[in-house]
């Protein structure tokens, strides 16, 4: 639950009241908290060092709420005295994340315009997330539940646009949370048919959304050789899930394609034990696509959005595809599989072909596609490739949403590496620039449809430290960017 309030923060009866701090000349500065009792301000300023308060980004400190109606005062660092929207999101999210286990929280961060209200609400909601589905009662009790009641303090509590921003923040956060849940699900439980069922169930709850699932028979009938080839090593057959949102007054049609490898062992080109850790998250692109379409529908955006989830489990076995197998993809292109661990591009190729058959205005694909993405940009910054125009559109949407996406090229020279001795294409190319080669491979399947490819291999899954509004595990990377892009096309 989240709401706006215009009340005096000092008089809010909440478990925790959050204010922002910034760093100035080595000392912390309270941001827009002139309503704090003078005594408390003085104590905070004289004891800042002893309390460990510097105002640095990511810093969250709890102090007694002397003279306030709240039980505890929480200081969340923004780093700078003029935080941008993303700095506010992160500070709000760090606070709610650290406050897991606390019932009610009010955030009195600088939120004097609609964009800032939106940022604080988004950050607070995104940070209020935990995944406890697989904990027993004993360990669930020790895992604090996310903050349930959030109030955003603002002078715009009665403002219509601020209320709309709050609604949007809730839809957005629900989408990100749901995608994180899917990514965090263990791969023994979230196998291809289970992911398809999850999509069906989630789709049923949203008006105007239709979900259709192609099973292995339908995939064979449809000539989806890439999805079938990757999936044939698993006892749990692959799926292609289509999620349709087609409002009557649509201003255009956006197609989204997501990689849905429920577990990537590498197949016969098997990964190392270390390399396999985290590979349950190899369906993060599909999760992002599913919940972006649902969010667009929930917001009633006047743009048609079709999501395609290319779902398979990549396993080694007696039925697995071999290095040297040749697959015939949807549309007839043949691919020699020289490394079964380069499976993402195989399932994506089929789904991209299916997506462009419907002649959408633009197709965007999102995938945890390459380790090379992580080498190039780490686990905080995603990559985007494609036509200059659509790539630029993605970067602009990413900038507005606060998600870091960096433009990457598709150098023509790398195309030669994808030549095969026996087929139209090989599924691997030169060793260096692996992220770009994967992008060039995908481009072969989009024809003339305007297209961009988002590689979120690093950012989709956080295996290091929680930070800002980002928890450990699934992050929901890409949803905010994709939704911002669709909103722009909807004229919002
Ligand atoms: N799912 C992996 C990419 C990945 C790696 C995602 C690390 C997240 C973290 C993908 O299927 C893969 O294995 N790619 C190979 C391709 C190579 C064989 C050409 C890679 O990047 O090593
Ligand atoms: Mn792989
Ligand atoms: Zn993979």
């Amino acid at each position: 639950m989240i709401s706006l309030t215009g009340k005096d923060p000092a008089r809010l009866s909440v478990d925790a009241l959050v204010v922002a701090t910034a760093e100035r000349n080595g000392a912390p500065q309270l941001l827009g908290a002139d309503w704090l009792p003078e005594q408390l301000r003085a104590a905070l300023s004289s004891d800042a060092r002893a309390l460990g308060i510097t105002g640095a980004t990511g810093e969250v400190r709890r102090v007694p709420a002397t003279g306030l109606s709240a039980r505890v005062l929480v200081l969340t660092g923004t780093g700078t005295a003029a935080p941008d929207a993303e700095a506010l999101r992160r500070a709000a999210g760090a606070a709610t994340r650290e406050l897991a286990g606390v019932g009610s929280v009010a955030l009195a961060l600088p939120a004097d315009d609609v964009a800032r209200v939106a940022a604080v609400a988004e950050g607070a909601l995104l940070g209020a997330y935990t995944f406890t589905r697989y904990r027993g009662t004993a360990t669930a009790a020790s895992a604090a539940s996310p903050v349930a009641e959030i109030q955003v303090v603002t002078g715009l509590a009665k403002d219509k646009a601020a209320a709309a921003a709050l609604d949007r923040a809730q839809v957005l956060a629900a989408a990100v949370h749901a995608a994180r849940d899917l990514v965090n699900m263990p791969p023994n439980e979230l196998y291809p048919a289970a992911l398809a069922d999850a999509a069906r169930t989630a789709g049923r709850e949203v008006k105007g959304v239709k979900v259709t699932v192609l099973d292995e028979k339908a995939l064979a009938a449809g000539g989806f050789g890439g999805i079938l080839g990757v999936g044939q090593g698993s006892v749990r057959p692959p799926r292609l899930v289509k999620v349709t949102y087609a409002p009557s007054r649509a201003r255009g049609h956006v197609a989204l394609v997501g990689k849905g490898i429920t577990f990537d062992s590498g197949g016969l080109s098997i990964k190392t034990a270390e390399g396999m850790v985290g590979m349950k998250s190899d369906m993060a692109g599909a999760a992002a696509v599913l919940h972006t379409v649902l969010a667009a529908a929930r917001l009633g955006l006047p743009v048609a959005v079709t999501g395609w989830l290319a779902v398979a489990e990549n396993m080694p076995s007696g039925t697995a595809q071999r290095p040297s197998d040749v697959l015939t993809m949807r549309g007839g292109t043949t691919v020699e599989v020289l490394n079964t661990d380069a499976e993402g591009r195989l399932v994506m190729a089929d789904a991209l072909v299916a997506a462009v058959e419907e002649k959408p205005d633009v197709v965007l694909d999102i995938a945890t596609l390459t380790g090379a993405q992580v080498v190039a940009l780490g686990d905080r910054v995603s990559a985007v490739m494609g036509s200059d125009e659509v790539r630029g559109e993605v970067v602009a949407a990413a900038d507005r949403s606060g998600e870091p996406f960096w433009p990457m090229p598709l150098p023509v020279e790398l195309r030669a590496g994808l030549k095969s001795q026996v087929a139209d294409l090989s599924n691997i190319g030169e060793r260096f620039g692996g992220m770009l080669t994967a992008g060039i491979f995908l481009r072969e399947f989009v024809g003339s449809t305007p297209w961009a490819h988002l590689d979120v291999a690093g950012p989709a899954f956080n295996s290091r430290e929680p930070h800002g509004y980002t928890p450990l595990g699934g992050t929901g990377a890409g949803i905010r960017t994709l939704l911002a892009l669709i909103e722009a096309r909807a004229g919002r």
Side-chain angles (χ1 to χ4, degrees), residues 116-292:
R116 283 161 204 273
V117 170
V120 172
E122 283 171 24
L125 289 167
L126 291 171
Y129 174 83
T130 51
F131 184 72
T132 52
R133 215 169 134 167
Y134 291 91
R135 289 186 189 279
T137 39
T139 63
S142 66
S145 43
V147 173
E149 214 183 298
I150 298 169
Q151 292 180 68
V152 177
V153 180
T154 173
L156 298 172
K158 300 240 142 53
D159 185 87
K160 268 211 184 112
L166 198 69
D167 288 344
R168 177 184 179 276
Q170 283 180 276
V171 170
L172 191 103
V176 170
H177 287 188
R180 288 175 183 171
D181 282 348
L182 286 174
V183 172
N184 289 332
M185 287 274 289
N188 59 330
E189 298 234 353
L190 195 82
Y191 45 90
L195 177 51
D197 282 346
R200 236 191 307 247
T201 306
R204 227 175 262 135
E205 278 166 31
V206 184
K207 230 184 85 202
V209 170
K210 202 179 107 196
V211 176
T212 50
V213 178
L214 299 193
D215 64 10
E216 66 273 29
K217 277 193 198 126
L219 287 168
F224 292 92
I227 297 174
L228 286 167
V230 171
Q232 76 185 41
S234 172
V235 293
R236 303 184 293 187
R239 297 285 184 266
L240 177 64
V241 182
K242 182 183 183 187
V243 187
T244 314
Y245 166 59
S248 46
R249 60 246 135 72
R251 283 189 201 168
H253 180 194
V254 175
L256 306 176
V257 176
K259 174 177 174 183
I261 300 298
T262 59
F263 187 74
D264 182 12
S265 70
L268 286 178
S269 312
I270 196 163
K271 290 181 182 294
T272 60
E274 225 170 63
M276 239 179 258
V277 174
M279 281 304 134
K280 69 173 183 179
S281 67
D282 214 18
M283 35 57 69
V289 164
L290 168 63
H291 286 291
T292 300

Side-chain angles (χ1 to χ4, degrees), residues 259 264 266 271 282 314 340-344 369:
K259 174 177 174 183
D264 182 12
K271 290 181 182 294
D282 214 18
N314 190 22
T340 64
D341 198 13
E343 85 297 340
L369 206 60

Side-chain angles (χ1 to χ4, degrees), residues 415-438:
R415 175 62 181 80
L418 287 171
K419 284 191 180 140
S420 161
Q421 302 270 312
V422 298
D424 298 334
L425 279 172
S426 155
N427 80 325
I428 52 169
E430 276 175 41
R431 170 150 166 253
F432 295 118
M435 165 172 55
L436 318 179
T437 293

